Amino acid sequence: MKTSEIMTSDPACCKEDQSLQDAARLMVDNDCGQIPVVDDDGGLVGVITDRDVCCRAVAEGMSAETRVGDVMTRSVVSVTPDTSLEDCLASMEKNQVRRVPVIDDDGKCCGMVSQADVARTGSDANTADLVQEVSQSREDGKSSGCC
């Protein structure tokens, strides 16, 4: 099975100069916890997560008008539509991420794969393994989140 078979296509995206309030509204409107951040050409430059908003912005006293680019996650793990489901899951597990953007050959965001996508379409064993691996403490002792 390929990533393209389980991904959510055409995810809502935002730009670095948009406000955190705009990004949070996109999360609410699209019932998701991560929004890809793209450049003017649609190229993936990062992601903004609900944890970024909470831990990097709200907890630090930043306003809702703070730019997405000021708190977004820039080092992004991504896959392509042709990535096998096994390789996608391995990447998510290795990097302890619950969601991964899917980029096309031009580096443009064309989809997202989340734990929920895996749960809806994968085997129970795949889902259990992913949740367990993503939720474990990292070997380097650092938190897998920002807090």
Side-chain angles (χ1 to χ4, degrees):
M1 181 177 282
K2 293 184 180 183
T3 300
S4 60
E5 296 175 60
I6 70 161
M7 72 181 192
T8 299
S9 298
D10 300 318
C13 296
C14 68
K15 297 195 175 160
E16 289 184 74
D17 62 353
Q18 287 184 259
S19 72
L20 292 180
Q21 185 171 12
D22 291 339
R25 175 58 43 207
L26 283 172
M27 290 179 203
V28 169
D29 291 346
N30 292 278
D31 191 26
C32 64
Q34 178 173 298
I35 301 289
V37 182
V38 297
D39 61 22
D40 290 335
D41 297 322
L44 184 67
V45 296
V47 294
I48 184 80
T49 68
D50 48 6
R51 287 187 58 83
D52 292 336
V53 173
C54 179
C55 298
R56 293 184 181 157
V58 175
E60 297 299 323
M62 295 179 183
S63 80
E65 294 307 312
T66 300
R67 289 176 355 105
V68 165
D70 293 336
V71 297
M72 72 183 203
T73 299
R74 293 183 182 275
S75 58
V76 180
V77 176
S78 63
V79 296
T80 68
D82 291 330
T83 301
S84 70
L85 179 58
E86 293 80 18
D87 287 346
C88 179
L89 294 174
S91 180
M92 292 171 77
E93 290 171 4
K94 177 183 175 195
N95 293 284
Q96 292 188 301
V97 294
R98 290 171 168 77
R99 309 165 192 102
V100 63
V102 181
I103 57 170
D104 64 18
D105 292 337
D106 296 322
K108 295 180 181 177
C109 187
C110 62
M112 290 289 293
V113 174
S114 69
Q115 282 183 337
D117 296 321
V118 174
R120 277 193 300 273
T121 60
S123 71
D124 289 342
N126 281 346
T127 303
D129 288 345
L130 177 61
V131 171
Q132 180 180 3
E133 290 299 321
V134 167
S135 300
Q136 285 185 353
S137 296
R138 291 175 40 165
E139 289 180 15
D140 60 11
K142 294 181 182 176
S143 169
S144 62
C146 63
C147 301

